[in-house]
Amino acid sequence: MTPRLLAALLALVLSSAVSADPPDLAAIARSQGTPEIPGLKMVWLTPWGDVAKSHPWRNIIVHQTEGPQGSARYGAEAQHKNPTRRGVMVWVETDGTVYWAVADNLVPTHTDGADRNDNKYIDNSKTYHLVNKDTSIGVEFAGNYPDVTTGPTDAQIAAWRVLVKLLRARYGIPPERVYAHNWIDFKDARYCEGCALATMARQWGE
């Protein structure tokens, strides 16, 4: 075998090994700065800091905003300027673009205090006044305007599949602690806010 052929075969083997070994999402999730996230188009309005110094997040709450296409960007930018205003840490546009708006050691104002106690969707004895802004990361999906019953887009679902794993890996949150806003608060009776997305996250599991 000639040296040139040997070098070509070695390059092929190495190339195959690299393509067969995707980046470790869990390792990326624990990093700092503005990492590239495979499968996500991430717009970093604020970079990640040291995860050990983040707020002790225990849950994820899925929200849907009655805003038109493009509203995630504007909501995220407003949140970035005033991190603790009513809103969330992470926003998802209809095209699947994810906006990381707030440093994860700060607490945006979202939810109504986890006041749902009727067990309509889940056992609220485990959520009542517990799954709230102080314990939960909020993720807002834009685009259900003018029809609030409009579900998430295919692009949002694809982004969510990666994003929820990223959030869970970064903060050590199990799938059963992903909640829809309607599961923990009394919301708009015309639709179930966040229910489809939260159900998907739980079904995807580990």
Side-chain angles (χ1 to χ4, degrees):
M1 183 179 296
T2 66
R4 181 176 294 178
L5 181 56
L6 181 61
L9 288 173
L10 181 60
L12 181 62
V13 169
L14 290 174
S15 175
S16 299
V18 169
S19 63
D21 187 18
D24 184 352
L25 188 65
I28 295 172
R30 306 293 291 183
S31 66
Q32 299 184 45
T34 58
E36 291 289 330
I37 314 295
L40 283 185
K41 179 184 177 183
M42 183 77 81
V43 176
W44 295 98
L45 298 180
T46 191
W48 276 346
D50 182 353
V51 69
K53 297 179 181 177
S54 68
H55 187 77
W57 304 111
R58 291 175 47 81
N59 314 291
I60 299 168
I61 300 174
V62 186
H63 300 265
Q64 288 175 276
T65 179
E66 295 177 35
Q69 182 176 351
S71 60
R73 172 189 168 189
Y74 297 111
E77 289 175 344
Q79 195 76 46
H80 177 65
K81 293 176 183 177
N82 183 8
T84 59
R85 72 189 283 270
R86 186 166 181 84
V88 298
M89 188 162 69
V90 186
W91 301 69
V92 185
E93 190 47 75
T94 52
D95 65 359
T97 301
V98 176
Y99 294 86
W100 197 284
V102 178
D104 57 10
N105 63 328
L106 301 177
V107 181
T109 300
H110 68 115
T111 80
D112 299 314
D115 60 0
R116 184 160 217 135
N117 58 359
D118 62 355
N119 300 320
K120 181 175 181 179
Y121 300 103
I122 58 173
D123 179 3
N124 291 125
S125 68
K126 299 176 181 178
T127 67
Y128 186 62
H129 292 169
L130 297 173
V131 180
N132 53 34
K133 71 179 181 68
D134 295 310
T135 64
S136 309
I137 297 165
V139 182
E140 188 85 67
F141 286 79
N144 63 343
Y145 173 86
D147 179 5
V148 296
T149 65
T150 301
T153 66
D154 290 343
Q156 285 177 320
I157 293 172
W160 178 230
R161 184 182 289 272
V162 179
L163 177 60
V164 71
K165 290 181 180 179
L166 183 74
L167 294 172
R168 290 184 46 242
R170 183 166 174 82
Y171 304 107
I173 299 172
E176 64 269 19
R177 288 187 185 164
V178 180
Y179 298 94
H181 196 183
N182 249 73
W183 294 353
I184 63 162
D185 282 320
F186 293 100
K187 300 299 297 179
D188 193 329
R190 293 174 295 171
Y191 75 115
C192 190
E193 182 187 339
C195 296
L197 290 158
T199 299
M200 289 176 196
R202 291 192 174 198
Q203 289 174 342
W204 293 331
E206 300 298 336

